[in-house]
Amino acid sequence: MKAMSFEETGGPEVLHLVDVPQPHAGPGQIRIAVRAAGVNPVDWKIRNGSTLRTIPVPLPHIPGLEAAGVVDEVGAGVEGVSVGDEVFGAAQNASAEYAVLDEWAPKPPELTWAQAAGLAMAVETAARGLDLLGITADQGSGTGQELGAGLEAAAGSEQGGSASAGTTLLVNGAAGGVGLAAVQLAQARGARVIGTASRDNQEYLRSLGVAATDYGPGLVDRVRALASDGVDAALAVSGEGALPDLITLTGSPDRVVSIGDATAADHGVRFTTGAEGRAFYSLREAATLAAAGRLTMPVARALPLAELGEAHRLSEAGHVRGKFVVVLD
């Protein structure tokens, strides 16, 4: 099969289109014919070698941790999904014609392949941060094998929210993939959301019902002008330097969670990497909300598989609305 791979760490130019053996689904897994694969910051951090100590990978390596496609192989012990089903989820080596999924959900027809491909990692990361802040949803039970059950019926129903009703959440860095997932999941769970973003992305956030403002100096005053009753919790999605302001706004480091600022521990703030447990149950939540028209993931740009290096370069440049993806015919 065709795949994008790199044999040494470095810039986007180390990525090359190669022929490799097809992977196969093991127990509890499924394999898909990939229609689109998402691009995440961790992909290019692995490629440029900056995560070698924390995320060692054997070389050559096919990047990509999420994809959407058509099931063509079902592993032992898997129930509730069949060959031919359309799904999205957490993948291994997703920048290829075929990929193995460990966790998945049915792709709602309301989402394009490109939109669905960019959901899994953003939704899991956002849900993990929200859970730590107490902005929770009913997780239900089961694994990726059972996520198809009841989607059609659930799509028209109202989701969660009662436990978090009245909560005001500040998302610092709300226009990227994780930020947008956090915004929409939090709203579905009953929270009111304030989000920081660049000026170019603020109108889009307002179209989602978010009270949008600038990030950077003066944040405390701007947010207080938007939230007269104060901010109950804050999720730091991107960059460094905002944590002191988020603590001031919420009143305690215990009310702040960071997924993007590695200096969190210096401020007494929780920094989540997934080591405390992944929130892949949220793929079902996202699928249900998307089917009801209450969650989407903007595609900043969709490029052919062979242009994965350009997608990495664009992602590294930052200030992205939504996700970059690569698409396959």
Side-chain angles (χ1 to χ4, degrees):
M1 70 172 183
K2 298 293 185 183
M4 291 298 290
S5 177
F6 60 91
E7 296 184 348
E8 59 182 355
T9 58
E13 68 277 0
V14 302
L15 287 161
H16 298 286
L17 190 65
V18 297
D19 286 301
V20 296
Q22 294 182 8
H24 293 285
Q29 299 175 325
I30 61 174
R31 188 180 77 171
I32 61 170
V34 177
R35 294 293 181 264
V39 174
N40 293 281
V42 68
D43 297 334
W44 49 260
K45 291 177 182 178
I46 292 172
R47 187 216 69 228
N48 69 22
S50 61
T51 62
L52 283 178
R53 290 184 179 180
T54 55
I55 313 177
V57 298
L59 298 177
H61 178 70
I62 299 169
L65 296 172
E66 60 184 354
V70 179
V71 178
D72 82 329
E73 191 174 280
V74 178
V78 174
E79 299 178 354
V81 64
S82 303
V83 170
D85 287 352
E86 297 182 350
V87 299
F88 71 96
Q92 302 173 16
N93 313 118
S95 302
E97 291 181 313
Y98 294 91
V100 171
L101 302 190
D102 299 301
E103 302 283 349
W104 60 89
K107 183 188 85 67
E110 291 79 6
L111 296 180
T112 67
W113 286 116
Q115 289 171 325
L119 273 183
M121 300 310 296
V123 164
E124 187 281 326
T125 305
R128 184 168 14 102
L130 295 177
D131 289 349
L132 289 171
L133 289 168
I135 302 173
T136 59
D138 179 10
Q139 297 183 21
S141 60
T143 67
Q145 300 173 21
E146 301 162 341
L147 295 182
L151 174 60
E152 182 177 352
S157 66
E158 291 298 314
Q159 295 303 305
S162 58
S164 304
T167 297
T168 297
L169 170 72
L170 172 61
V171 178
N172 189 52
V178 175
L180 286 169
V183 161
Q184 294 173 89
L185 289 176
Q187 289 173 325
R189 296 176 180 191
R192 178 199 177 204
V193 180
I194 299 170
T196 69
S198 65
R199 293 288 177 89
D200 290 343
N201 290 323
Q202 289 179 21
E203 278 305 312
Y204 180 75
L205 288 177
R206 293 185 183 104
S207 76
L208 298 177
V210 176
T213 189
D214 297 336
Y215 49 77
L219 178 64
V220 171
D221 290 339
R222 290 192 300 275
V223 170
R224 283 177 172 167
L226 293 170
S228 58
D229 293 334
V231 173
D232 301 299
L235 182 64
V237 174
S238 60
E240 295 183 357
L243 293 181
D245 285 347
L246 303 187
I247 293 169
T248 296
L249 285 162
T250 61
S252 170
D254 293 338
R255 298 178 182 177
V256 181
V257 166
S258 173
I259 64 169
D261 189 337
T263 70
D266 296 337
H267 302 276
V269 169
R270 287 168 293 182
F271 183 76
T272 175
T273 62
E276 66 273 30
R278 293 285 188 173
F280 280 119
Y281 79 87
S282 58
L283 298 187
R284 173 172 51 193
E285 182 183 3
T288 302
L289 292 170
R294 300 176 64 195
L295 184 147
T296 190
M297 180 57 64
V299 176
R301 188 172 172 186
L303 297 94
L305 176 64
E307 295 183 27
L308 177 63
E310 175 66 2
H312 276 211
R313 187 188 68 78
L314 292 168
S315 178
E316 285 187 73
H319 299 291
V320 179
R321 180 191 302 174
K323 295 287 288 285
F324 290 106
V325 300
V326 292
V327 294
L328 293 84
D329 294 332

